[in-house]
């Protein structure tokens, strides 16, 4: 018998190493607008809290997760009008681990999960691992952004539907779902008896007066919602791996029982500092993301064949490039080869992502306002990226 015969069946169907476990070796002139990997440097007072924790004995097991962190998370949610008692919070090592923890608690082989199209696909690996069918339900485009289509969701529901994935604010779609939209989803979940995995990774990033609403706060949804969150995007925390799952009192013990690793204790101490004292830092980051979004939206809309709507939330642009005559894959490949820009696109769903590309606003504008973990040279700024995209589009679209 070969090794392949012996390994887990669900894995041998498709070998796919997570993208964060792969290292890209880009040529020096490459600008990456592909990953959602924020570039901001941590302020000293947060880094110092981590260092003090290491020196102060937080190098043994952190039994029960850091109580102060659960308290800080609980307090953080009061701004959304939601009281999340600390005992209903499970600390995880980031956004995808939160999704994995949530799905591992609720899904059985043969169940179905519905994912609106387009959406972030981070839970797909766990679904395949658990032999769960991921059913894509199309979203509808309204004023340039993809929104929930309740009729399409209803069509996708079967007796096997166990969960719905909801990315709010949406990645890549950029929509921030209103209370009314969430109420529509809540009614479906209650009527058809399924859970909603509510991925709120970008809840801090809402623009132009839009407001983040918490699905779990809607009456009847407490034990049907699994809020999945990470500090990755909020505090430029991608390499420090901290997140959480919040749910209701009936469901929380099952979430906490799903197997997972724990989060480094000193990092949890740093997370307490960030959540309790770091809001000014988040505000600075937000301001800069919004400037980048405004700038790049304007530049893209000046190009032939491209239509770009500024998102209501998150820090991605998801322009329609179908007018260029290229598919999103062709656009991405040619742009990388000809202009050394890396983007993403077609992976966000089988239908609606077609004809779109996703640009992540992780590159500073023409000047360095906030300290970055990489050196930004003049030819590696967002301005330079947009100049290259302009050259590329004007060369291909007459
Ligand atoms: C909506 C969403 N959820 C989860 C994640 C994964 O977060 P993490 O890097 O903390 O695993 C991402 C990353 O891009 C995301 O966009």
């Amino acid at each position: 018998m070969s090794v392949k015969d012996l390994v887990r069946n669900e894995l041998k169907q498709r070998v796919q190493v997570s993208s964060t476990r792969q290292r890209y070796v880009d040529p020096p002139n490459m600008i990456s607008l592909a990953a959602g990997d924020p570039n901001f440097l941590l302020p000293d007072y947060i880094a110092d809290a981590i260092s003090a924790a290491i020196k102060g004995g937080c190098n043994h097991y952190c039994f029960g997760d850091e109580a102060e962190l659960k308290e800080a998370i609980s307090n953080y949610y009061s701004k959304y009008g939601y009281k999340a008692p600390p005992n209903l919070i499970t600390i995880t090592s980031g956004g995808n681990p939160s999704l994995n923890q949530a799905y591992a608690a609720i899904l059985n082989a043969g169940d179905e999960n519905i994912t609106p199209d387009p959406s972030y696909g981070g839970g797909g690996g766990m679904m395949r691992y658990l032999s769960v069918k991921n059913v894509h339900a199309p979203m509808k485009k309204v004023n340039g952004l993809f929104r929930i289509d309740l009729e399409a969701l209803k069509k996708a529901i079967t007796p096997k539907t166990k969960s719905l994935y909801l990315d709010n604010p949406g990645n890549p779609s950029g929509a921030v779902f209103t209370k009314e939209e969430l109420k529509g989803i809540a009614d479906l979940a209650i009527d058809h008896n399924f859970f909603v995995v509510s991925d709120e990774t970008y809840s801090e990033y809402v623009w132009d007066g839009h407001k983040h609403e918490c699905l779990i706060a809607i009456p009847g949804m407490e034990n049907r919602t699994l809020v999945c969150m990470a500090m990755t995007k909020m505090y430029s925390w991608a390499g420090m791996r901290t997140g959480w799952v919040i749910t209701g009192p009936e469901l929380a013990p099952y979430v906490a029982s799903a197997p997972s690793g724990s989060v480094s204790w000193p990092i949890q101490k740093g997370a307490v500092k960030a959540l309790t004292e770091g809001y000014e830092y988040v505000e600075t980051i937000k301001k800069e993301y919004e400037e980048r979004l405004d700038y790049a939206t304007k530049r893209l809309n000046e190009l032939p064949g491209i239509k770009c709507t500024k998102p209501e939330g998150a820090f991605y642009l998801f322009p329609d490039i179908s007018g260029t005559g290229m598919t999103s894959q062709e656009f991405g490949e040619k742009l990388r080869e000809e202009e050394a820009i890396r983007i993403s696109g077609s992976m966000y769903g089988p239908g609606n992502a077609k004809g779109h590309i996703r640009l992540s606003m992780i590159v500073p504008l023409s000047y360095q306002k906030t300290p970055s973990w990489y050196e930004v040279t003049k030819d590696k700024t967002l301005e330079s990226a947009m100049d290259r995209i302009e050259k590329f589009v004007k060369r291909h679209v007459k």
Side-chain angles (χ1 to χ4, degrees), residues 20 35-37 93-99 120 122 165 167-171 199-202 228-233 237-238 241-242 316 358:
T20 51
D37 184 8
S93 48
N96 283 342
S98 292
L99 297 176
Y120 176 71
Y165 172 74
D167 194 1
N168 180 30
N171 166 17
D199 185 340
E200 301 179 19
T201 299
Y202 298 94
C228 291
M229 181 59 183
M231 293 180 61
T232 305
K233 320 289 174 178
W237 208 262
R241 314 307 304 142
T242 313
Y316 304 102
R358 194 195 76 167

Side-chain angles (χ1 to χ4, degrees), residues 153-288:
L153 287 185
K154 273 186 210 160
K155 273 196 208 142
I157 296 170
T158 76
K160 293 183 178 169
T161 304
K162 175 67 77 66
S163 56
L164 166 76
Y165 172 74
L166 184 71
D167 194 1
N168 180 30
N171 166 17
S173 76
V176 173
F177 299 115
T178 62
K179 224 178 199 161
E180 288 65 39
E181 286 174 300
L182 295 183
K183 179 78 177 62
I185 289 170
D187 289 344
L188 280 186
I190 292 166
D191 289 350
H192 296 271
N193 208 21
F194 58 76
F195 296 112
V196 183
V197 173
S198 182
D199 185 340
E200 301 179 19
T201 299
Y202 298 94
S203 56
E204 278 297 330
Y205 299 125
V206 287
W207 318 116
D208 301 321
H210 291 278
K211 188 168 173 271
H212 178 72
E213 302 281 353
C214 280
L215 180 75
I216 196 168
I218 292 181
M221 287 306 287
E222 198 183 27
N223 281 298
R224 293 203 172 276
T225 309
L226 299 100
V227 179
C228 291
M229 181 59 183
M231 293 180 61
T232 305
K233 320 289 174 178
M234 186 173 164
Y235 285 96
S236 199
W237 208 262
M240 309 226 286
R241 314 307 304 142
T242 313
W244 52 85
V245 181
I246 306 177
T247 185
E250 286 176 46
L251 193 48
Y254 300 105
V255 173
S257 301
S260 62
S262 53
V263 179
S264 146
W265 196 2
I267 297 293
Q268 291 192 60
K269 287 284 195 190
V272 173
K273 194 77 172 170
L275 277 167
T276 53
E277 293 176 37
Y279 205 68
E280 222 173 276
Y281 165 55
V282 176
E283 284 296 322
T284 318
I285 294 179
K286 280 161 81 163
K287 198 161 170 286
E288 188 155 332

